[in-house]
Amino acid sequence: MIASCLCYLLLPAARLFRALSDAFFTCRKNALLAKSSSPQVEGNFAMAPRGHDQEECEGLLQQWREEGSSQVLSTENEGPLVDKGLAQSSLALLMDNPGEQDAASEGKWSSRQLSDLRAAENLVEPFPGVLGEEPLPEVEGPMWAAVPMQTHPQYADCAVLPMGPLTAEQWEEDPAVVAWSIAPKPVPQEEALMWPFEGLGQLQPPQMEIPYHEILWREWEDFSTQPDAQGLEAGDGPQFQFTLMSYNILAQDLMQQSSELYLHCHPDILNWNYRFANIMQEFQHWDPDILCLQEVQEDHYWEQLEPSLRMMGFTCFYKRRTGCKTDGCAVCYKPTRFRLLCASPVEYFRPGLELLNRDNVGLVLLLQPLVPEGLGQVSVAPLCVANTHILYNPRRGDVKLAQIAILLAEVDKVARLSDGSHCPIILCGDLNSVPESPLYNFIRDGELQYHGMPAWKVSGQEDFSHQLYQRKLQAPLWPSSLGITDCCQYVTSCHPKRSERRKYGRDFLLRFRFCSIACQRPVGLVLMEGVTDSKPERPAGWAESVLEEDSSEPEPEPVFPRTVGTIQHCLHLTSVYAHFLPQHGRPEVTTMPLGLGTTVDYIFFSAESCENEERTDRRLYQDGTLKLLGRLSLLSEEILWAANGLPNPFCSSDHLCLLASFGMEVTAP
């Protein structure tokens, strides 16, 4: 026995490993096949060395110790002959020398040999059991990860198994419980990318290597009926159909200024060239007719985005934020579908007003839809599109409301028709407010009582109720010098024009030539012959006093009526999205700051809210001139976590894009 051990010790390292590997895997394979209920095992699988010979010997002997020699040998004796033949035929593919296969498969190792060999390898714990002991209880768990035969320069006739973080549970499984599965391809240790941020964990991708586009799959929810070619819809009447996308594309400067928000991302996917290619791919894939973008960096817009979008058939308008900010908002449309009527940039900054000292901006366009020529003499109402990015600061709800009021006043002015009504309106952007917050409800319901409300509560982003000092909203919310009423209208357009309103022109002033006051000589008037010495004569039939007649006219209404603690608007806006995923039972999210999913991006459009609570469909509004035909579904927080959050290799912004399809009535002249 001592001589036998010395012989084993004198074997070269490679031969020693091969002998141990053959013996171990012969017994292991026979034991697995004996317990398996399947009569055949497809493919040939094997284990290759992971490192140095010394480490491999220790690993294999450790596995032998955990399984127990008695269990494997007893199972081998009791297994069917067919299974033994399959195991030996599979193992034969792994042998360099057929002679060694016979040597490895003959007989059984004695416990004394194993004990001596363990001592020679400097292992501390003894091997358990002898041939007559009871087999160890089986440990249930996930199945071994098996891979097909692969070539390797060092082990040309062996299958290379990708070595991942295999745990003890993965080695002690019962193959009769779970089917075979393919192991994921490994990343070589020397090529693995180091995580540069110490003490911070990286968001782990899903266990199975599912492509990001499958994890982030978004369905198109179609609300239309029988779409017609040429972009029109058949129904009660023809419709002009178009799609609109709203997207916060994450300005590169802002991302670098807040790099702590993106520690979970690999640096390569945060590179602008990588992100720009992904963003343009989304534009090309969804192919919207109107594109509303936020956080558009100015130099990137003029150098890359605008030329690329122009090549895609868009006409673009851009408004940079005021001050020293480098990003802004853009609205792009296809001139083959729309004709521009007017474009109004909106600046929220007002010098001297502490309430409006921020640099956020908006952009309002009035577009005329172009109907196909084959429809004859028909017309479509103009479309007002507003895009904005509201202040982020969760504590300053008063600033957010004032900015929204300015935007709504501009929309009211642009979209107002000659009869006092409004054309269809679409308002979209990053509003930095959550659904059902006071700001959200104000846009949807058209009214908000704000007096005494904590400023942080307006957007609902964070809860600061625990803080001792809380800024509260006071009435009036903004000063009269802003020139906007509490109905979110400019003062000059808040009242209809009166045809009888006095105009101080020549004709109006001539009415007072012969009034009583005009005929009185002023005191101290210098007497000049032929100039001031004559007295005007009242023509026959001229009224004695014009002022008396005018004095009976009622006083004009105040030009700036103010309400106490309430603001309103009359645009009748409704959200495209319902902010809840019924199939998942989870709320929708459009962004994930610090790994927490929330909704801050919206598309509002002109429609009457539905007050019937018994309606069970997804359309919670009444159709008007503008109809919602479809929308791109959003995702839940859990799905975005599975894709390593936002941004990720597939979605290159920290926001999801919003996409909706609309239809407008086509009327005859």
Side-chain angles (χ1 to χ4, degrees), residues 469-582:
Y469 171 75
Q470 299 181 22
R471 182 192 300 267
K472 294 187 178 182
L473 306 185
Q474 301 296 329
L477 184 59
W478 54 79
S480 301
S481 59
L482 186 60
I484 297 178
T485 69
D486 290 331
C487 293
C488 297
Q489 295 175 333
Y490 287 121
V491 175
T492 55
S493 61
C494 62
H495 297 290
K497 294 182 179 180
R498 297 172 56 182
S499 59
E500 67 275 9
R501 180 166 294 181
R502 295 170 179 171
K503 297 181 180 180
Y504 297 96
R506 181 176 181 275
D507 296 336
F508 175 76
L509 294 176
L510 287 177
R511 295 175 56 188
F512 299 94
R513 285 183 301 171
F514 304 104
C515 63
S516 301
I517 297 178
C519 295
Q520 294 178 4
R521 182 180 180 85
V523 179
L525 180 63
V526 178
L527 181 59
M528 298 176 62
E529 186 177 355
V531 178
T532 61
D533 60 349
S534 62
K535 182 179 179 181
E537 296 180 1
R538 182 181 293 107
W542 191 265
E544 288 291 333
S545 177
V546 179
L547 294 180
E548 282 74 1
E549 296 179 2
D550 294 338
S551 61
S552 61
E553 185 178 351
E555 292 292 333
E557 297 179 0
V559 296
F560 200 166
R562 303 299 299 266
T563 56
V564 180
T566 303
I567 54 177
Q568 299 173 333
H569 72 83
C570 56
L571 301 181
H572 305 291
L573 300 175
T574 303
S575 175
V576 165
Y577 288 89
H579 317 304
F580 190 78
L581 300 171

Side-chain angles (χ1 to χ4, degrees), residues 1 41 103 144 219 267 283 500 565 573 608:
M1 183 62 66
V41 179
W144 274 28
E219 298 180 353
F283 295 162
E500 67 275 9
L573 300 175
E608 294 290 341

Side-chain angles (χ1 to χ4, degrees), residues 103-421:
S105 60
E106 67 177 9
K108 306 175 180 61
W109 289 25
S110 66
S111 61
R112 179 65 181 274
Q113 286 177 319
L114 293 174
S115 178
D116 294 341
L117 185 58
R118 179 197 56 77
E121 293 296 331
N122 297 323
L123 298 178
V124 180
E125 297 181 4
F127 278 91
V130 291
L131 296 179
E133 282 187 60
E134 292 286 334
L136 295 176
E138 297 179 1
V139 180
E140 295 184 359
M143 185 52 198
W144 274 28
V147 295
M149 295 286 291
Q150 302 177 6
T151 58
H152 193 277
Q154 185 178 359
Y155 309 98
D157 55 346
C158 295
V160 180
L161 179 67
M163 299 307 297
L166 296 178
T167 60
E169 288 78 12
Q170 289 175 304
W171 284 84
E172 299 176 358
E173 297 136 311
D174 187 352
V177 179
V178 186
W180 290 78
S181 60
I182 305 300
K185 294 183 179 180
V187 177
Q189 186 174 2
E190 60 275 8
E191 299 179 2
L193 297 171
M194 300 300 295
W195 183 240
F197 307 100
E198 298 181 0
L200 292 173
Q202 185 177 11
L203 297 181
Q204 297 298 328
Q207 295 181 357
M208 297 185 64
E209 295 185 358
I210 305 176
Y212 281 101
H213 69 275
E214 295 185 9
I215 298 176
L216 301 176
W217 181 258
R218 301 174 63 181
E219 298 180 353
W220 178 258
E221 301 177 3
D222 189 6
F223 303 146
S224 63
T225 60
Q226 301 179 4
D228 185 32
Q230 302 181 356
L232 301 178
E233 176 190 347
D236 297 336
Q239 289 187 344
F240 176 84
Q241 183 176 344
F242 65 95
T243 56
L244 180 142
M245 173 184 284
S246 178
Y247 199 1
N248 184 327
I249 63 174
L250 179 60
Q252 194 73 10
D253 286 349
L254 298 180
M255 183 191 69
Q256 294 173 356
Q257 293 172 10
S258 304
S259 57
E260 67 278 359
L261 300 178
Y262 311 100
L263 298 180
H264 63 282
C265 303
H266 192 281
D268 289 346
I269 71 172
L270 298 179
N271 181 273
W272 168 247
N273 291 330
Y274 179 91
R275 296 178 55 236
F276 172 72
N278 264 6
I279 292 171
M280 293 304 302
Q281 214 170 30
E282 288 191 72
F283 295 162
Q284 293 175 355
H285 177 73
W286 298 117
D287 191 27
D289 299 307
I290 303 175
L291 193 58
C292 298
L293 304 178
Q294 305 90 40
E295 288 196 22
V296 182
Q297 192 166 311
E298 186 176 26
D299 57 342
H300 291 163
Y301 172 79
W302 293 114
E303 295 173 6
Q304 294 173 287
L305 277 168
E306 196 275 339
S308 301
L309 291 173
R310 187 167 7 100
M311 294 179 61
M312 294 173 58
F314 285 96
T315 298
C316 305
F317 286 84
Y318 177 75
K319 174 59 181 175
R320 183 181 64 85
R321 285 202 288 169
T322 54
C324 59
K325 302 299 188 295
T326 60
D327 67 289
C329 297
V331 176
C332 313
Y333 68 93
K334 290 184 177 179
T336 57
R337 306 297 313 280
F338 298 93
R339 177 170 57 90
L340 179 67
L341 298 180
C342 71
S344 300
V346 182
E347 294 182 356
Y348 302 137
F349 179 80
R350 296 291 189 274
L353 289 182
E354 190 273 338
L355 182 68
L356 293 169
N357 59 357
R358 306 306 171 95
D359 296 314
N360 304 85
V361 296
L363 198 57
V364 180
L365 268 63
L366 187 63
L367 303 174
Q368 177 62 54
L370 302 177
V371 297
E373 296 180 357
L375 295 179
Q377 298 295 327
V378 295
S379 62
V380 182
L383 174 68
C384 180
V385 178
N387 179 31
T388 189
H389 188 183
I390 297 300
L391 175 71
Y392 167 75
N393 192 343
R395 303 174 184 267
R396 296 307 304 270
D398 52 343
V399 178
K400 296 173 188 280
L401 283 177
Q403 291 181 351
I404 282 292
I406 295 176
L407 181 68
L408 294 177
E410 189 69 26
V411 170
D412 175 83
K413 183 186 74 173
V414 173
R416 183 178 292 275
L417 301 176
S418 58
D419 59 355
S421 61

